[in-house]
Amino acid sequence: MSRKTACETGPVSLVQNLLDFKTATEPPFGPEMALMRSNHAGDCWAACGSQSSLTLQLAKPSIVESIVLEHVPYAVATYQSALKKFVVRGFENVDESPILHFDGEFHMDERHPHVQLFPLPEAKPISVLQLETLTNHGNADFTCLYRLRVYGKQQ
């Protein structure tokens, strides 16, 4: 069975409602793949195009101190589909008027290790974390996120 790319499949209704983007629909290659550990080329969340958005509802309100983004090791695959420029936002709530507590722009550098830590600005507890990809390293068809880890203190 061949796996369709993010651009061939179209949106999933639940994902469309939560994140408003096109994603792969065959498990386990949807956005949940970004929360799993894998070092195999292609085992990633492949969002259509060079821009995407991933929104996480945290289990409990937390003071998020940093995130870690992972791409597959460079010896295994190219870096073109990896995130390059991205924004991280933290929100206090998820109702119709969420309160933004931080909004930071970051850059994933291909000259650094495939696992990179990004400290976030000191903030109040948040319930929702959003990662928005602005650009990748040159792949116009899709952007791969192999793993997103969130570090902080639960409140």
Side-chain angles (χ1 to χ4, degrees):
M1 174 168 64
S2 67
R3 183 176 137 220
K4 294 180 180 180
T5 67
C7 297
E8 293 172 329
T9 59
V12 176
S13 61
L14 176 61
V15 174
Q16 173 100 25
N17 289 338
L18 292 174
L19 308 175
D20 194 28
F21 67 93
K22 291 185 179 182
T23 185
T25 59
E26 296 178 26
F29 298 101
E32 68 276 3
M33 193 66 186
L35 303 177
M36 299 177 190
R37 183 176 187 192
S38 176
N39 286 328
H40 301 287
D43 285 355
C44 65
W45 170 50
C48 186
S50 61
Q51 298 179 334
S52 63
S53 179
L54 178 64
T55 304
L56 302 175
Q57 170 76 46
L58 303 179
K60 293 182 178 179
S62 303
I63 296 175
V64 177
E65 298 168 343
S66 62
I67 63 166
V68 170
L69 295 181
E70 294 184 30
H71 193 66
V72 71
Y74 308 133
V76 176
T78 69
Y79 208 75
Q80 289 184 323
S81 66
L83 283 74
K84 184 175 184 179
K85 194 185 223 183
F86 60 94
V87 174
V88 179
R89 295 182 185 95
F91 298 96
E92 184 177 324
N93 52 25
V94 292
D95 62 20
E96 292 185 21
S97 56
I99 300 169
L100 179 68
H101 282 301
F102 62 82
D103 184 359
E105 188 171 305
F106 301 91
H107 182 266
M108 192 163 182
D109 192 338
E110 73 274 10
R111 296 169 295 180
H112 288 89
H114 68 279
V115 178
Q116 295 182 29
L117 173 79
F118 299 93
L120 299 175
E122 196 171 313
K124 296 178 182 177
I126 62 167
S127 299
V128 175
L129 182 84
Q130 182 182 55
L131 173 71
E132 180 183 356
T133 305
L134 303 176
T135 63
N136 64 23
H137 283 88
N139 189 324
D141 296 327
F142 59 90
T143 301
C144 282
L145 176 57
Y146 280 83
R147 191 169 182 201
L148 165 64
R149 291 185 270 167
V150 179
Y151 293 94
K153 298 175 186 144
Q154 288 186 338
Q155 296 296 295

